[in-house]
Amino acid sequence: MSGNPLEEVVSGSISRRLKIVIALALLLAGSPIILTYGLLILSSFSTNMVTDPLLTDFQPTLDNWIMFLRGQITYATGGLERNVVEMTLVTLTVAVGVALTATLVSLLAAYSISRMDFKGRGVFTAGLIMLHAFPGVALIIGVYMIFRIIGDVLGVLGEEFYAIAYIILARAALEVPMAIWLFKGFFDKIPWELEWSALVDGASRVRVWWSILVPLVKPGIAAVLIFTFLAGWEEFIYFYVFLKPFGIDSLPTFIEEIVAAAENYQLTIIAAAGTFYLLPTIVFFVLTQRLLLEAYSGGLKG
C-alpha cells in the first residue's frame, strides 16, 4: 500500500529544499574559484588584465587570441617566438596516446580478472587501488632510470619519437589500475549466460570479448577515455623531464615558463594561453558529468 499522500508531498518538498540548500552552499564555496577563472577568461579578451569583479577595467579585444594562435608569444625584451600549433600537437598526441593505450590495456586486463580464476587474483585486485594511489612524482626517479636504459637501445629510432612514446606508455601505466577497477565493475554485472552461449556456438574468447562484452561497457569506455585523455593533457612533470631536454615544448611546460617569467610577457596573452589550455577540461566535464558519475558508480559497485 502507498503511504500517506500528505507525507509524500511534505517529504518531497523537504527533499527539494535540501537540494537547493546544498546547491547554494556548493555555489558559495566555489565562488572564489569561479570568479578567478571568470576574470582569467575575460582578461584573455581584454587589452589589460581584468581584476575588478565589476569589470570596470574590461576593454574587449581579440588581439590576444590572434597573437597567441599565430604563435607570436614574444619576450618584451627580445624576439623569441613559440610555435603554438606544434606545442598543441605534441600535447594532443600524448593525451590521445595515453587515452587509447590505457583504455585498451585496461579492457583486456579487467576482462581477465572478471572472467578468469587464477592464483593471486584477489590480492592483485585489491592492490589495484594501492597502485593508483602512487603519484607519478614519487616514481619519477625509477621511471627516468628505465627511460635511460631503454633509450640506449631504442634511441636509434629518434630521440624525440622515443621520448614521446615513452611518456605515453609511462603516463598510461599510472592510469591503468583505476581503469581496470572501473571496467571490472562493468564486466562483473554482465550475465555469464551471454558469454557461455557464444562460446558454445564456437566463438573464441577474443571474439566474445570484442563482439559481445565490449559493446555492453560502452559508457565505461567513454568515461575512461575522457579521464585518461585529461590526465595526459594535464601532465606536466613527465613533459618537463623527458621532452624539455630535447628542446620539445608542450602546452604545460610553455605555460609554466611564461608564468615563471610573467614580467617579461604581456599578461593578457598569458591569460589567453591559460584559457586555451583549460578549454578541453572545462568542455569535457561540463558535457560528460552524468556519464562520469555513471561510470564511477558502475565500476565501484563491482
Side-chain angles (χ1 to χ4, degrees), residues 61-136:
T61 181
L62 293 177
D63 290 344
N64 301 320
W65 280 94
I66 293 173
M67 293 181 65
F68 170 73
L69 295 176
R70 286 178 177 175
Q72 297 175 348
I73 312 300
T74 60
Y75 284 106
T77 57
L80 179 63
E81 295 190 0
R82 299 298 178 88
N83 190 327
V84 175
V85 174
E86 182 178 314
M87 291 187 295
T88 303
L89 287 176
V90 169
T91 310
L92 185 63
T93 298
V94 171
V96 172
V98 169
L100 295 178
T101 302
T103 302
L104 178 59
V105 171
S106 303
L107 270 173
L108 291 167
Y111 172 76
S112 301
I113 296 172
S114 175
R115 289 300 198 248
M116 301 177 184
D117 189 16
F118 54 89
K119 188 176 182 179
R121 175 170 173 252
V123 176
F124 179 80
T125 304
L128 288 175
I129 298 300
M130 294 181 61
L131 288 173
H132 185 73
F134 282 95

Side-chain angles (χ1 to χ4, degrees), residues 1-288:
M1 295 178 63
S2 61
N4 190 323
L6 180 59
E7 292 180 356
E8 293 180 359
V9 172
V10 172
S11 176
S13 177
I14 295 175
S15 177
R16 286 192 296 271
R17 290 179 182 177
L18 180 61
K19 291 179 180 179
I20 293 174
V21 170
I22 293 175
L24 291 176
L26 291 175
L27 180 62
L28 181 62
S31 57
I33 299 176
I34 296 173
L35 177 62
T36 301
Y37 282 110
L39 293 178
L40 173 70
I41 294 172
L42 288 175
S43 296
S44 70
F45 292 97
S46 176
T47 57
N48 52 282
M49 291 298 292
V50 181
T51 58
D52 185 0
L54 298 179
L55 307 184
T56 56
D57 48 0
F58 176 64
Q59 300 177 7
T61 181
L62 293 177
D63 290 344
N64 301 320
W65 280 94
I66 293 173
M67 293 181 65
F68 170 73
L69 295 176
R70 286 178 177 175
Q72 297 175 348
I73 312 300
T74 60
Y75 284 106
T77 57
L80 179 63
E81 295 190 0
R82 299 298 178 88
N83 190 327
V84 175
V85 174
E86 182 178 314
M87 291 187 295
T88 303
L89 287 176
V90 169
T91 310
L92 185 63
T93 298
V94 171
V96 172
V98 169
L100 295 178
T101 302
T103 302
L104 178 59
V105 171
S106 303
L107 270 173
L108 291 167
Y111 172 76
S112 301
I113 296 172
S114 175
R115 289 300 198 248
M116 301 177 184
D117 189 16
F118 54 89
K119 188 176 182 179
R121 175 170 173 252
V123 176
F124 179 80
T125 304
L128 288 175
I129 298 300
M130 294 181 61
L131 288 173
H132 185 73
F134 282 95
V137 177
L139 304 173
I140 191 64
I141 296 178
V143 173
Y144 183 77
M145 292 300 296
I146 297 174
F147 172 78
R148 298 301 303 177
I149 293 172
I150 300 178
D152 294 337
V153 178
L154 299 182
V156 295
L157 299 176
E159 293 179 335
E160 293 83 0
F161 173 81
Y162 167 65
I164 292 175
Y166 187 84
I167 290 178
I168 291 174
L169 294 177
R171 198 60 186 82
L174 297 176
E175 301 302 320
V176 163
M178 177 59 76
I180 291 176
W181 186 263
L182 293 176
F183 280 136
K184 179 182 178 300
F186 280 97
F187 284 129
D188 286 347
K189 292 191 294 185
I190 298 176
W192 269 95
E193 289 76 8
L194 292 176
E195 187 172 353
W196 280 118
S197 61
L199 291 172
V200 170
D201 290 339
S204 65
R205 280 276 193 177
V206 175
R207 181 63 182 275
V208 171
W209 169 78
W210 177 253
S211 300
I212 297 178
L213 298 185
V214 169
L216 295 177
V217 297
K218 283 183 178 178
I221 293 175
V224 169
L225 282 172
I226 290 168
F227 81 71
T228 51
F229 173 86
L230 293 178
W233 178 265
E234 297 168 356
E235 178 58 38
F236 167 74
I237 188 66
Y238 281 27
F239 279 124
Y240 191 85
V241 171
F242 299 116
L243 289 185
K244 199 68 174 177
F246 298 114
I248 304 175
D249 284 309
S250 62
L251 286 175
T253 54
F254 164 67
I255 292 175
E256 185 274 339
E257 180 182 342
I258 61 176
V259 169
E263 67 275 7
N264 294 325
Y265 290 93
Q266 186 175 342
L267 293 179
T268 51
I269 298 181
I270 296 178
T275 302
F276 179 79
Y277 184 54
L278 285 172
L279 281 177
T281 303
I282 295 173
V283 171
F284 273 131
F285 276 107
V286 168
L287 298 180
T288 61

